[in-house]
Amino acid sequence: MLDQTKPVYQRLRDVIANAILEGTYRDGDMLPSVRSLAAEEGANPLTVAKAYQTFQDEGLVTVKRGVGMFVAAGATDRLRELMREDFLTNIWPPVAQQIRRIGLDARTLLDLTEA
């Protein structure tokens, strides 16, 4: 689920990151052009370019001038690790606190996710 409180470029980054993690784009695959993704997502091309720039800054994509942007080798595993770290540091602590607060246990949670 996308966090609507984030700036648009970060939400677009999340869209791209999720597509990479879900296998829509694999290591070595070409990403949509800035204009194509902007049209698809209803965003400004400059905003899409800013989202792509964050991936470049982290070494998760490579640019071939005149050709396009590609998912870098090893990017999927690195992205998964970055997202795990973010989840465990920023998302999980308040979720775990709420679970304890309302008296849920691990078995109940697992049963709900298996249903």
Side-chain angles (χ1 to χ4, degrees), residues 7-111:
V8 175
Y9 83 93
Q10 287 181 337
R11 289 191 309 237
L12 286 168
R13 186 191 186 287
D14 291 346
V15 166
I16 300 160
N18 289 335
I20 292 170
L21 292 175
E22 291 167 358
T24 303
Y25 305 112
R26 299 183 189 283
D27 291 4
D29 285 355
M30 185 174 177
L31 292 168
S33 70
V34 167
R35 289 182 186 192
S36 172
L37 188 60
E40 183 180 318
E41 295 295 327
N44 182 308
L46 292 174
T47 305
V48 173
K50 186 172 181 177
Y52 274 160
Q53 184 64 49
T54 65
F55 285 106
Q56 280 183 266
D57 294 345
E58 294 173 338
L60 298 171
V61 299
T62 58
V63 177
K64 294 182 183 174
R65 275 225 179 295
V67 179
M69 195 166 302
F70 296 81
V71 179
T76 303
D77 290 337
R78 177 147 161 58
L79 184 58
R80 187 172 284 118
E81 183 58 35
L82 289 170
M83 290 184 81
R84 280 183 189 146
E85 289 174 21
D86 179 59
F87 178 83
L88 292 173
T89 303
N90 300 311
I91 298 169
W92 179 248
V95 170
Q97 184 179 33
Q98 181 69 1
I99 287 170
R100 284 189 297 276
R101 189 177 305 131
I102 63 176
L104 283 176
D105 60 56
R107 181 75 257 159
T108 302
L109 291 171
L110 289 174
D111 288 345

